[in-house]
Amino acid sequence: MVRSPAARVLVVEDDVSLGRLLTRSLRRAGYTAILVADGASALEQAASTDPPDLVLLDLGLPDLDGNDVCRRLRGLTDSPVIVITARAEEADRVRALDLGADDYLVKPFGLAELLARIRAVRRRAVRATAAAASGNEILRHGPIAVDLRSRQVHLNGRPVALTAKEFDLLACLAHDPGRALRREEILAAVWGEWFGSSRALDVHVGALRRKLSPGRYIETVYGVGFRRVDPTTAPTGGHR
């Protein structure tokens, strides 16, 4: 039997003792773990011919701002990024998620929780790849086309620049246009195991509405969540 190669996890952590502990724990869990201590090395790894399958990113790096590293990683790879940091404020969470992080874990944390979050973000990545390979690669509804394979969005034939998380959110809504999706459904589909407030969802919905100008394509369903609509055909419901 041919075994699949172990997933490669890039650990970006300037605390050497913690970084070594994380890499040893990941290897015991069956992953291939690579440790770097600064942002420049992380970006170099992501831009290589053999990029990591997942990145664990500390925000407190010695050379570059961790949030800037997160943003630049999103331009280099679609691999999931989990932020691991001592910054516990909600504003810090929202900023990192808005820049493209797939999850956010505050130090100190337990190994079991970290491994669960890694499994969750990797499951979502696998589902996205499978959806793109299923033949239903472009989701069209009204003037918006969502290309799952290339992760591109077009509005009336013109490209719309979205962050990784904004794309995932729009794809989630576009899979079943017109259906009201509960907040919990969207958070589970886009963020996986989410333990904070749902403000991050509101931030990303607001960003999508601004970019899908005039912002009429995502409707709030009061007391429930959101749905994807085509304003040229759909009756006016909740707030858009």
Side-chain angles (χ1 to χ4, degrees):
M1 180 178 66
V2 179
R3 298 183 61 183
S4 299
R8 300 175 69 253
V9 179
L10 176 64
V11 180
V12 188
E13 173 60 67
D14 69 329
D15 183 329
V16 176
S17 59
L18 176 58
R20 288 174 177 170
L21 175 61
L22 286 172
T23 54
R24 285 197 301 268
S25 299
L26 289 166
R27 287 165 185 162
R28 285 197 296 267
Y31 296 97
T32 297
I34 306 159
L35 175 62
V36 298
D38 56 72
S41 299
L43 296 172
E44 183 180 352
Q45 287 282 336
S48 71
T49 56
D50 189 20
D53 299 301
L54 183 138
V55 180
L56 298 181
L57 175 65
D58 181 28
L59 294 182
L61 300 174
D63 58 339
L64 300 172
D65 178 76
N67 283 304
D68 187 50
V69 174
C70 182
R71 178 186 60 79
R72 292 166 67 178
L73 282 171
R74 281 281 67 99
L76 294 170
T77 176
D78 287 329
S79 298
V81 175
I82 300 178
V83 166
I84 50 173
T85 180
R87 303 176 189 176
E89 296 297 322
E90 183 181 4
D92 293 315
R93 290 176 181 265
V94 170
R95 184 183 181 195
L97 293 167
D98 203 28
L99 288 171
D102 295 270
D103 206 346
Y104 193 103
L105 190 56
V106 177
K107 301 174 183 176
F109 51 81
L111 177 62
E113 181 180 0
L114 173 62
L115 294 175
R117 288 174 182 262
I118 289 174
R119 291 192 296 269
V121 297
R122 295 203 70 233
R123 281 197 300 269
R124 294 200 300 276
V126 168
R127 285 199 298 268
T129 301
S134 68
N136 188 23
E137 296 182 347
I138 300 180
L139 305 176
R140 300 183 187 275
H141 184 226
I144 296 178
V146 180
D147 190 326
L148 300 176
R149 184 184 62 81
S150 66
R151 293 180 65 84
Q152 293 181 330
V153 173
H154 287 80
L155 173 62
N156 292 316
R158 297 181 178 180
V160 181
L162 302 181
T163 67
K165 195 60 65 180
E166 289 165 359
F167 179 90
D168 292 340
L169 173 57
L170 181 59
C172 175
L173 295 169
H175 269 102
D176 197 355
R179 184 170 81 87
L181 296 179
R182 292 182 293 107
R183 284 175 167 268
E184 295 80 6
E185 286 183 83
I186 300 171
L187 286 168
V190 178
W191 278 273
E193 298 178 73
W194 179 252
F195 300 98
S197 78
S198 62
R199 183 167 175 256
L201 174 57
D202 296 304
V203 169
H204 283 79
V205 167
L208 271 178
R209 282 174 167 156
R210 289 190 296 273
K211 291 182 177 181
L212 300 177
S213 179
R216 300 175 296 148
Y217 303 103
I218 299 175
E219 182 178 82
T220 298
V221 182
Y222 290 109
V224 180
F226 301 95
R227 67 179 162 216
R228 171 75 177 84
V229 296
D230 177 2
T232 64
T233 60
T236 301
H239 170 69
R240 293 179 184 174

